[in-house]
Amino acid sequence: MRHCSVQVRGLLTREELDRYNALMQVGGYLEEQDQYDLAYIVQKEVDILIMPAIERLKEKGRDRDRATAEFLESLKAVDDEDEE
């Protein structure tokens, strides 16, 4: 079973995290039993479960990029004022 990143896991809601942990336990057990065909199905459920957290992570990145752009624009405005 493939774990998601720590960043994604940190953005899971409590309910999502509980479900994620339970699915990972089931998937790990299935792998121990060499039931890789069933573990694959569980992995697909995990992948679906973490999609909202991945979107939240992407949105945080976009917010950070916007804040950086605004900061750089404010620096440029200050430089332009200093030149006058």
Side-chain angles (χ1 to χ4, degrees):
M1 296 291 299
R2 293 183 329 267
H3 284 278
C4 65
S5 70
V6 173
Q7 293 90 347
V8 170
R9 228 174 305 157
L11 294 175
L12 291 171
T13 64
R14 184 78 239 160
E15 294 83 20
E16 290 169 339
L17 186 59
D18 290 344
R19 184 168 165 81
Y20 171 84
N21 289 330
L23 287 169
M24 292 305 290
Q25 280 186 313
V26 169
Y29 174 78
L30 291 170
E31 285 180 342
E32 288 174 8
Q33 303 302 312
D34 294 329
Q35 296 289 318
Y36 296 103
D37 54 337
L38 296 175
Y40 173 77
I41 294 168
V42 174
Q43 181 66 57
K44 288 183 73 155
E45 288 298 313
V46 168
D47 294 343
I48 293 168
L49 174 68
I50 65 173
M51 289 305 291
I54 290 171
E55 289 303 316
R56 289 190 283 271
L57 183 62
K58 287 179 183 178
E59 187 57 38
K60 282 181 69 173
R62 288 188 285 267
D63 290 344
R64 186 176 54 248
D65 291 345
R66 276 191 289 274
T68 299
E70 290 171 6
F71 174 73
L72 293 175
E73 279 297 316
S74 71
L75 287 180
K76 184 178 178 185
V78 168
D79 285 344
D80 291 344
E81 287 176 5
D82 289 344
E83 289 178 2
E84 294 177 0

